Amino acid sequence: MTTTTAKDPAADDAARQDDPPAIAFEQVSMRFPDGTLALRDVNLKVMPGEFISLIGPSGCGKSTLLKIASGLVSHTQGDVWVDRENLGYTFQDATLMPWRSVRDNVELLMELRGYPPARRARIAREKIELVGLSGFEDHYPARLSGGMKMRVSLARSLALNPNVFMFDEPFGALDEITRERLNEEVLTLYGREKLTGIFVTHSIAEAVYMSGKVVLMSPRPGRIVEVFDVPFGYPRRPELRYDPAFSALCGTLSAALRQTIEDSQDD
Ligand code: ADP
């Protein structure tokens, strides 16, 4: 199988066996107050430094899982372990404050945490540079493209130096070229900042390109149907998307996704 391996994922897996997970769900279920059972008996472990993607039909509970992990909603059964002190989160929408400049948006979470102004300014400068927005510090969100807004959102979360990062379909609304460029940037950040990541997407190709494992969820109530290992090492090159082994894995995932939808319709 063709790979762009720079490090051996199997060796990494072996080295990680004894570490405690960065994120762990054990028999987690979630029922909303109106009675909707969103998740059922979810078991999932993400090891430090792993980057995984969640795919599944719309409404299967992917966002709910990320919200539980980040403490935005509470699960109703089971155990969840996540280091929330150091958690970063980006949503589908960049959720910027329109009246604040790029710099002031990036400083927002640091302000809320009480960082002193000089420290905020230094970190904001670093993170704005990291996401490629130097020179745009004084611009307001209305003057930024969709891709630039997502970069501001990423910089704002990165400012707190998270080691665990949740991506809730962050690039779904962007055009393909911008999405692919931001995929590269997130992978560069992943390599540089040693993040542990959970990435939610509707795109199978994006899931495979970004992650070391792709987790397939069933229709609601979401449970984990299967975890697929992605055999390509990091760093990844854009050409990987045209590799026959890459297409074959996307085909396998697409068939598994269709199958889980059909199976749930038979129930
Ligand atoms: P996904 O991210 O996979 O599209 P979500 O996690 O957003 O799915 O939602 C899972 C299910 O829970 C969906 O059926 C959704 O309609 C339902 N849901 C989400 N939020 C609430 C809520 N506050 N109250 C009741 N049901 C909800």
Side-chain angles (χ1 to χ4, degrees):
M1 190 172 281
T2 316
T3 70
T4 53
T5 305
K7 60 181 185 185
D8 178 2
D12 276 2
D13 279 354
R16 286 190 197 120
Q17 292 297 322
D18 300 331
D19 294 344
I23 301 165
F25 287 80
E26 275 173 30
Q27 294 293 107
V28 171
S29 298
M30 164 68 187
R31 191 182 288 282
F32 283 102
D34 70 353
T36 306
L37 184 61
L39 297 170
R40 189 177 61 198
D41 297 337
V42 170
N43 291 297
L44 179 67
K45 265 189 197 161
V46 188
M47 300 306 284
E50 259 190 329
F51 198 104
I52 69 151
S53 288
L54 291 182
I55 60 166
S58 263
C60 76
K62 301 179 293 295
S63 292
T64 303
L65 201 63
L66 291 197
K67 285 180 188 152
I68 291 171
S70 45
L72 294 173
V73 299
S74 302
H75 53 297
T76 44
Q77 230 180 306
D79 292 313
V80 176
W81 193 88
V82 183
D83 178 5
R84 291 201 184 112
E85 275 297 299
N86 270 309
L87 190 93
Y89 203 115
T90 56
F91 300 89
Q92 215 162 344
D93 185 74
T95 61
L96 303 180
M97 307 273 187
W99 59 89
R100 295 180 75 128
S101 65
V102 166
R103 180 188 298 105
D104 291 347
N105 267 290
V106 173
E107 287 196 18
L108 179 70
L109 298 179
M110 295 189 279
E111 247 174 75
L112 295 174
R113 291 266 180 118
Y115 287 27
R119 184 167 173 220
R120 288 204 306 260
R122 177 178 55 76
I123 296 175
R125 205 165 38 245
E126 266 171 40
K127 302 303 175 191
I128 288 170
E129 190 186 341
L130 195 64
V131 299
L133 284 179
S134 294
F136 292 92
E137 291 84 350
D138 296 321
H139 286 226
Y140 286 83
R143 289 183 57 200
L144 304 177
S145 67
M148 290 162 96
K149 286 181 195 163
M150 283 314 301
R151 289 193 175 106
V152 178
S153 167
L154 272 177
R156 180 181 56 193
S157 295
L158 287 167
L160 298 182
N161 261 335
N163 53 8
V164 173
F165 212 110
M166 313 273 161
F167 300 87
D168 194 356
E169 225 194 313
F171 310 138
L174 303 177
D175 66 86
E176 196 175 333
I177 298 294
T178 308
R179 175 195 277 228
E180 288 185 2
R181 196 174 302 150
L182 284 168
N183 285 163
E184 306 307 329
E185 289 175 14
V186 167
L187 285 186
T188 304
L189 288 171
Y190 164 59
R192 199 182 302 171
E193 309 276 301
K194 314 245 179 295
L195 299 176
T196 303
I198 304 190
F199 193 93
V200 167
T201 175
H202 275 109
S203 159
I204 288 174
E206 187 177 43
V208 172
Y209 188 75
M210 298 297 284
S211 37
K213 283 181 184 159
V214 179
V215 176
L216 172 63
M217 291 178 66
S218 71
R220 186 172 67 78
R223 59 188 168 76
I224 291 177
V225 178
E226 199 169 344
V227 178
F228 294 81
D229 281 321
V230 178
F232 312 113
Y234 295 97
R236 292 183 179 167
R237 301 272 163 261
E239 305 79 71
L240 177 64
R241 292 190 176 88
Y242 305 103
D243 189 304
F246 183 91
S247 306
L249 182 53
C250 291
T252 303
L253 275 159
S254 172
L257 178 57
R258 274 198 306 274
Q259 187 64 50
T260 180
I261 293 169
E262 276 170 28
D263 289 351
S264 78
Q265 284 162 350
D266 294 343
D267 287 348

